Amino acid sequence: MKTTKLILMVVMQFAILNVSAQILRTEELEEYAVKKYGQKWVDAAAELGSTLTLDKNNALTYVQVVDAPGKTKDQLYVLLNYWFTSTFNDAKSVIDLNDKELGTIIAQGYMSNIAGHAGGSNSYYISIKPIIKCDIKDDKIRVTYTVPFYNVLKVEGGGLINAISGSLTGTKTDEKPVDEKWTLDKCYPFVDKDSHKKTSSKALIMTYAYSNVVMDKIEECVKSGMVGNETDDW
């Protein structure tokens, strides 16, 4: 009986870890963003953009200090190391630095297809690879979330015009995928003239919403533990 209970506990913990590892799927993130900012992406981006400033590298950087009274640097490191290794554990989300003595963990996340556009001759699919850094000391951590640019898959010949043309002629236009990087200082709302304004607007809202979720998850981990049972009473 005890063995069965132990197996169930292990299975439940792995299920919790798998949910945590995903953080949010793209469609769930969009639901979260819509509830918080609405569906008018351009208006929401203009309002949000007025409160944001790009850093010296023209990247979007967001910093938050999380207080953790009574927790030592070592205790916080163990909790955060647990969270990071469970969350950033695939080929596209990796831990770049994990230094206990320094008290620093740096990871690169990944969120695919947060925005897109299929008009004209080409189509565009935007993803982000945010850099998440935690600096740890007794009683507190500092989380720095940075998105240096949008990762864009441009599919030449994959737009609406070519799709309609192909359906009428019965021939398919050759499609050519090209990787691009769009720096935020060239995208709306940080510039007014942007041929992909709606796409850039949604990308900004989704990027910022993802930062909110990451910050909330880290704060929850620090204050409540990864699975809620990390105590000395065992």
Side-chain angles (χ1 to χ4, degrees):
M1 186 69 175
K2 289 184 177 179
T3 302
T4 302
K5 287 184 177 180
L6 179 61
I7 292 173
L8 287 173
M9 287 177 63
V10 171
V11 170
M12 288 177 66
Q13 286 195 0
F14 271 109
I16 292 170
L17 287 176
N18 284 335
V19 170
S20 299
Q22 294 175 6
I23 301 184
L24 277 181
R25 295 192 302 272
T26 301
E27 57 269 24
E28 292 173 328
L29 180 64
E30 183 165 347
E31 289 178 9
Y32 173 88
V34 168
K35 286 181 181 178
K36 191 161 187 176
Y37 300 103
Q39 289 182 302
K40 295 182 179 180
W41 302 114
V42 174
D43 293 343
E47 183 176 351
L48 179 60
S50 67
T51 69
L52 299 176
T53 302
L54 299 179
D55 65 21
K56 65 179 183 180
N57 299 312
N58 290 320
L60 178 64
T61 297
Y62 178 43
V63 180
Q64 180 175 324
V65 175
V66 179
D67 292 321
K71 287 189 171 67
T72 66
K73 176 181 175 181
D74 286 347
Q75 288 174 323
L76 291 171
Y77 172 82
V78 170
L79 283 171
L80 288 169
N81 182 57
Y82 192 5
W83 185 81
F84 272 94
T85 54
S86 299
T87 302
F88 300 96
N89 58 4
D90 59 39
K92 293 183 177 180
S93 300
V94 296
I95 297 175
D96 295 318
L97 176 67
N98 192 337
D99 192 317
K100 182 177 182 180
E101 184 176 350
L102 185 62
T104 299
I105 302 174
I106 301 176
Q108 184 177 78
Y110 179 74
M111 200 73 188
S112 65
N113 298 329
I114 60 170
H117 176 65
S121 301
N122 307 316
S123 58
Y124 302 86
Y125 305 92
I126 298 180
S127 301
I128 52 171
K129 295 181 179 180
I131 300 167
I132 301 150
K133 178 186 178 188
C134 279
D135 295 304
I136 309 164
K137 60 168 64 174
D138 290 345
D139 300 318
K140 66 177 61 178
I141 64 168
R142 181 178 63 194
V143 186
T144 305
Y145 171 97
T146 302
V147 174
F149 45 76
Y150 298 134
N151 297 83
V152 181
L153 177 64
K154 174 183 176 182
V155 182
E156 297 179 349
L160 185 60
I161 291 176
N162 289 333
I164 294 173
S165 175
S167 64
L168 292 175
T169 62
T171 59
K172 184 178 179 181
T173 303
D174 289 337
E175 297 179 358
K176 180 183 177 182
V178 179
D179 289 320
E180 295 184 345
K181 294 178 180 178
W182 291 0
T183 57
L184 276 73
D185 63 316
K186 304 297 183 184
C187 295
Y188 188 82
F190 302 105
V191 293
D192 289 330
K193 294 183 179 180
D194 181 354
S195 58
H196 310 101
K197 180 179 285 189
K198 187 174 181 180
T199 305
S200 296
S201 296
K202 183 178 180 181
L204 177 68
I205 297 301
M206 294 282 280
T207 296
Y208 196 73
Y210 187 69
S211 78
N212 296 162
V213 173
V214 168
M215 294 290 186
D216 288 347
K217 293 286 187 181
I218 291 176
E219 184 172 8
E220 181 184 359
C221 172
V222 167
K223 294 184 175 180
S224 304
M226 180 70 177
V227 294
N229 62 355
E230 296 92 346
T231 68
D232 293 329
D233 185 18
W234 57 278

